[in-house]
Amino acid sequence: MAFYDKLFETLGLSNWCGVAGEGAPLSMADLMAQASGDAASGPFFPFPSLDNLNESCSAILQSRDVTKGIEDGFLAAKPALKSVLDPLTQPLSWMLDGALWLFEATPWFIMIPVLVGISWYASRSKPVTIFVFVAIMLLGLVDHYDVAMQTLSIIFVCTTISVLLGVPIGIAMSKSDRLQKFTVPVLDLLQTLPTFVYLIPLIFLFSVTESKLYGIAIILYAIVPVIRLTDLGIRLVDQDVIEAADAFGMNSKQKLMRVQLPLALPNIMAGVNQTIMMSLAMVVIASLVSAPGLGVNVLRGIRNLELGVGIVAGIGIVLLAVILDRVSKAALSRVDMTHVKH
Amino acid sequence: MTEPMVSLRGVYKIFGQDGASVMDHVKNGMGKEELLAEHKHVLGLNDINVDMQAGEITVVMGLSGSGKSTLIRHLNRLIEPTAGEIIVQGEDVMQLSETGLREVRQQKMSMVFQKFALLPHKTVLQNAGMPLSVRGEDAEVCNREATKWLDRVGLAGFENHYPAQLSGGMQQRVGIARALTANTDIMLMDEAFSALDPLIRTDMQDLLLELQKELHKTIIFITHDLDEALKLADHLVILKDGYVVQQGEPQHILLNPNDPYIEDFVSDINRARVLRVRSVMTPLSDGAVPDDAHGDVDVDDTLESMIARSGGDTSHAYVVKDGDETVGTLDMTALVRALVPRVSSDDGTRNY
């Protein structure tokens, strides 16, 4: 005898409900109650949840049917989704694998000078360049050079794609208030959804052995700041300057290329910096789905309780993060400096 | 008089959700406050009819909120009017397509802004050459023209600086050079000197007058400063709450204000410096020149210089010459009388 029996009787829905309480016990709680012999016990006034209502009326779904429904729905849609997404995202796999191969195949005595050179070109700062050199040497010293390069290759590809997609989306958002209104909730969702949750549907869609699986997860997570800050940067461009551009008859392309993008560049660069940081954060979690790199060692540390392995890999990640952050921040402030030299 | 360079015919601007829907109320004489209270629309411009002659400086003056910046933005349609015609060199700007409008903005009108509105990431040279590069001219042409005009406004040697490295006055010189590089017949100047400090402002006014003397552009100048307006204007338009209170020759407005609002405005002016002999002389009617004349004066002399010349003696009289021709007589008593405004500023007219 369940709490809500009376309710369905008074509503005259007994027939529609069918006979309640029939069949096998449906949940662990039911089983326990049956075993201990006092089936009637329970809270005095249970919440009218799906499960509790089901006890009185079997026509009502149980909560697990909801999760099952989602799963079934996803599985039903999967072939169609897969046939569209698979070829569409295939280049991502190629790029990730290609970059991985390139970073691994290049011998260290070429790779390190190249990286130091890039740091110098981007930052034009001696301390930053020296720091990059020392940090990479340190990583190499404890035999983490290879895994660090794997991580770097993934970040390189994912950040590049995020910027290539994110900047145009940000520009489009800044041009259309309506698009912005629709995009912002999606961006909020991407940013707040627990990172593991991305992985679940992706695992269903793609095989775990495919590199695009973690590529997509990282890009989805890391693309948000570059979109947001491109949009913000363009919207923040001084209206007086825009008016001047209009008054001298610039068309919208000239306005974008000559005024809006250059003036929004510091903000866009800040977005790129954030994107790099977020892809680094995600690359560790992505090691759960076969992403190579430092994350794998962290994961090993957790799985096998190998404290030292985990901590060394963790510090390696911190070093990489600091390298990427300082170089991109130095590049950002350089971009800013050319405009305001007092 | 020849065909005006720019003329506005019955231009209305109503800001709000649906300006056109309340046009009838405005045409039936509803005022700014009523319109805002009853229909939640702001009356920006109310039946503006102004002709701007080629080669003249037309100054539009008014206090903030009077619609003067709105007015100037109608000429190149940075703001769309709710109703009315805007005719530039015989062509109705309102009928233009987007491309046609861009053409007009590139070829016919250039603009100088209150806050300079230079591109902060470009050098002074690139900023000044911007109007030409927008038209797709070669970098070489842009730089040559830009250098020429930068030199003309006194900025030679600053070509490779960035705007942020220059003072406000110098930045506005870049703004003017940019407008001149565009080589348009019409120049729109929106409170171009208002953000500058008084000494630099005077410099810039002199620069503008000097340039105008040789270039003869059609300049539309917006200001809230009557001294500036009187110094620059060939034709003065006074705006209040979106409508034209009075327009005409500045000396005439100064001596014959037709509205308490304007009387209040003009009462604070140093009239001796602004008024010229032309405005207070007695025109020659019968060829009679006073025998006791103390000498000849030019029609364009200021009253201030006359007072200095007469040593403050009101009994003096002078013969007024325009070139070689005698055009009238000047009695110092009349001159002194003209210095006193019809209404003083202390008697409460500030309520307007």
Side-chain angles (χ1 to χ4, degrees):
Chain A
M1 194 56 189
F3 183 84
Y4 288 102
D5 286 1
K6 286 253 167 52
L7 175 69
F8 288 104
E9 268 168 42
T10 43
L11 287 174
L13 291 169
S14 299
N15 284 338
W16 173 73
C17 285
V19 188
E22 228 181 2
L26 294 166
S27 67
M28 203 62 187
D30 287 346
L31 266 176
M32 301 271 286
Q34 224 169 39
S36 60
D38 49 354
S41 83
F44 166 66
F45 180 30
F47 186 84
S49 67
L50 287 177
D51 281 357
N52 285 333
L53 291 174
N54 174 271
E55 278 180 30
S56 306
C57 174
S58 52
I60 290 174
L61 293 175
Q62 282 183 298
S63 287
R64 66 174 180 193
D65 293 319
V66 175
T67 47
K68 182 143 178 19
I70 291 174
E71 195 174 315
D72 288 345
F74 189 80
L75 286 177
K78 185 188 153 186
L81 265 175
K82 196 172 162 64
S83 65
V84 176
L85 287 179
D86 225 10
L88 213 65
T89 51
Q90 200 52 45
L92 181 60
S93 274
W94 296 332
M95 285 165 78
L96 282 164
D97 294 340
L100 197 60
W101 174 83
L102 183 74
F103 275 62
E104 283 185 325
T106 314
W108 65 271
F109 49 84
I110 296 178
M111 198 66 193
I112 293 178
V114 167
L115 289 177
V116 171
I118 292 174
S119 314
W120 170 249
Y121 177 78
S123 66
R124 296 289 155 85
S125 149
K126 263 187 202 143
V128 169
T129 314
I130 292 170
F131 173 76
V132 169
F133 178 72
V134 172
I136 297 177
M137 292 311 262
L138 270 179
L139 282 170
L141 194 68
V142 291
D143 283 294
H144 275 61
Y145 171 80
D146 288 328
V147 275
M149 285 307 120
Q150 289 168 350
T151 300
L152 210 55
S153 79
I154 296 172
I155 291 171
F156 173 73
V157 171
C158 293
T159 307
T160 310
I161 293 176
S162 294
V163 172
L164 288 182
L165 294 176
V167 171
I169 296 176
I171 291 170
M173 264 171 81
S174 70
K175 302 264 168 195
S176 150
D177 285 339
R178 189 184 291 173
L179 183 65
Q180 193 199 32
K181 219 165 77 189
F182 285 113
T183 321
V184 166
V186 176
L187 296 181
D188 290 340
L189 180 80
L190 286 176
Q191 237 175 358
T192 48
L193 207 62
T195 41
F196 290 104
V197 178
Y198 293 123
L199 296 176
I200 303 170
L202 289 175
I203 291 168
F204 272 83
L205 270 181
F206 308 109
S207 135
V208 183
T209 53
E210 280 179 293
S211 37
K212 64 184 171 193
L213 171 56
Y214 59 79
I216 294 172
I218 295 170
I219 290 170
L220 279 180
Y221 186 62
I223 199 172
V224 179
V226 74
I227 296 179
R228 275 194 206 279
L229 281 157
T230 304
D231 172 45
L232 181 75
I234 292 182
R235 282 175 189 267
L236 284 184
V237 170
D238 192 353
Q239 280 311 304
D240 293 327
V241 180
I242 298 290
E243 194 177 47
D246 280 330
F248 283 98
M250 282 196 192
N251 59 33
S252 45
K253 191 181 151 209
Q254 285 173 322
K255 221 160 50 178
L256 182 68
M257 300 309 290
R258 294 173 176 217
V259 183
Q260 291 172 317
L261 277 185
L263 293 186
L265 197 58
N267 270 318
I268 297 175
M269 292 288 285
V272 173
N273 172 276
Q274 285 301 301
T275 289
I276 295 174
M277 292 296 104
M278 289 178 80
S279 45
L280 188 66
M282 193 63 183
V283 85
V284 177
I285 292 163
S287 64
L288 283 171
V289 285
S290 80
L294 289 160
V296 175
N297 287 17
V298 176
L299 205 60
R300 202 177 107 198
I302 297 172
R303 274 199 194 126
N304 308 348
L305 289 180
E306 293 182 50
L307 178 77
V309 174
I311 286 187
V312 169
I315 291 173
I317 289 168
V318 171
L319 274 182
L320 266 193
V322 178
I323 290 177
L324 292 169
D325 183 60
R326 289 303 126 85
V327 172
S328 54
K329 280 235 179 82
L332 164 65
S333 63
R334 200 161 61 87
V335 169
D336 251 348
M337 281 306 288
T338 18
H339 309 328
V340 198
K341 282 185 290 194
H342 283 285
Chain B
M1 202 170 269
T2 50
E3 174 94 339
M5 191 70 147
V6 181
S7 63
L8 302 177
R9 294 267 160 275
V11 173
Y12 288 86
K13 175 66 189 178
I14 298 160
F15 293 103
Q17 290 277 318
D18 184 11
S21 67
V22 293
M23 263 306 290
D24 287 339
H25 297 297
V26 176
K27 283 200 166 150
N28 292 334
M30 187 179 270
K32 192 170 181 165
E33 279 83 21
E34 273 177 285
L35 192 73
L36 183 62
E38 288 174 31
H39 300 284
K40 303 262 177 289
H41 280 68
V42 176
L43 182 55
L45 293 177
N46 187 352
D47 195 16
I48 303 289
N49 291 289
V50 177
D51 286 340
M52 297 162 185
Q53 304 298 337
E56 282 193 353
I57 301 181
T58 302
V59 175
V60 179
M61 200 204 66
L63 298 178
S64 37
S66 61
K68 54 194 190 307
S69 287
T70 309
L71 175 64
I72 201 170
R73 278 166 179 70
H74 276 72
L75 300 181
N76 55 2
R77 271 176 70 192
L78 287 175
I79 297 177
E80 298 282 335
T82 310
E85 286 179 344
I86 298 158
I87 296 158
V88 176
Q89 292 176 323
E91 185 181 21
D92 188 355
V93 179
M94 291 311 300
Q95 305 301 326
L96 291 174
S97 65
E98 204 177 313
T99 328
L101 180 62
R102 265 208 307 277
E103 195 102 321
V104 165
R105 287 174 179 174
Q106 288 177 5
Q107 313 277 357
K108 289 193 180 168
M109 293 183 197
S110 50
M111 196 158 175
V112 182
F113 296 86
Q114 179 177 9
K115 291 179 192 151
F116 322 137
L118 302 171
L119 298 177
H121 61 293
K122 298 279 188 190
T123 62
V124 165
L125 185 68
Q126 286 166 324
N127 263 296
M130 186 266 263
L132 292 181
S133 72
V134 167
R135 286 182 213 161
E137 302 274 2
D138 292 342
E140 193 203 333
V141 179
C142 298
N143 289 346
R144 194 180 61 228
E145 286 294 301
T147 312
K148 178 174 112 192
W149 290 113
L150 283 172
D151 196 24
R152 188 65 194 77
V153 298
L155 280 180
F158 287 95
E159 284 86 352
N160 293 319
H161 285 60
Y162 284 91
Q165 296 170 300
L166 304 183
S167 68
M170 287 159 96
Q171 289 191 39
Q172 193 57 297
R173 282 170 197 259
V174 181
I176 292 174
R178 174 169 71 177
L180 292 171
T181 308
N183 197 19
T184 54
D185 290 334
I186 303 170
M187 259 172 88
L188 310 175
M189 305 186 77
D190 179 24
E191 302 218 26
F193 305 147
S194 300
L196 306 174
D197 58 61
L199 276 179
I200 297 185
R201 194 186 305 174
T202 311
D203 274 355
M204 299 294 280
Q205 289 161 358
D206 293 340
L207 174 72
L208 182 68
L209 288 174
E210 196 187 312
L211 288 167
Q212 175 64 358
K213 214 176 274 174
E214 70 190 66
L215 300 173
H216 302 294
K217 303 236 180 223
T218 308
I219 297 175
I220 292 94
F221 194 99
I222 302 289
T223 183
H224 59 246
D225 178 353
L226 187 59
D227 282 303
E228 185 168 73
L230 293 170
K231 180 168 177 181
L232 300 175
D234 295 313
H235 182 77
L236 180 61
V237 179
I238 298 182
L239 277 186
K240 180 194 170 192
D241 290 347
Y243 67 91
V244 176
V245 191
Q246 191 173 7
Q247 61 174 315
E249 214 257 314
Q251 307 259 321
H252 178 78
I253 293 181
L254 193 59
L255 290 172
N256 307 290
N258 71 357
D259 186 284
Y261 175 73
I262 300 177
E263 283 174 11
D264 188 33
F265 247 135
V266 300
S267 61
D268 284 345
I269 288 298
N270 181 350
R271 299 161 76 92
R273 187 170 296 165
V274 175
L275 287 175
R276 296 182 189 276
V277 169
R278 181 200 301 281
S279 312
V280 292
M281 71 181 188
T282 317
L284 206 61
S285 49
D286 47 5
V289 177
D291 317 325
D292 57 345
H294 286 73
D296 295 347
V297 294
D298 191 76
V299 279
D300 281 330
D301 280 349
T302 61
L303 300 195
E304 197 174 47
S305 68
M306 286 311 304
I307 293 170
R309 185 164 162 184
S310 65
D313 191 338
T314 50
S315 65
H316 286 195
Y318 295 92
V319 175
V320 183
K321 299 258 189 190
D322 186 2
D324 289 333
E325 194 186 348
T326 305
V327 288
T329 56
L330 176 69
D331 184 22
M332 283 306 285
T333 324
L335 182 151
V336 171
R337 217 175 285 129
L339 290 179
V340 183
R342 280 208 319 225
V343 181
S344 89
S345 66
D346 312 322
D347 61 359
T349 40
R350 274 291 142 100
N351 296 332
Y352 282 92

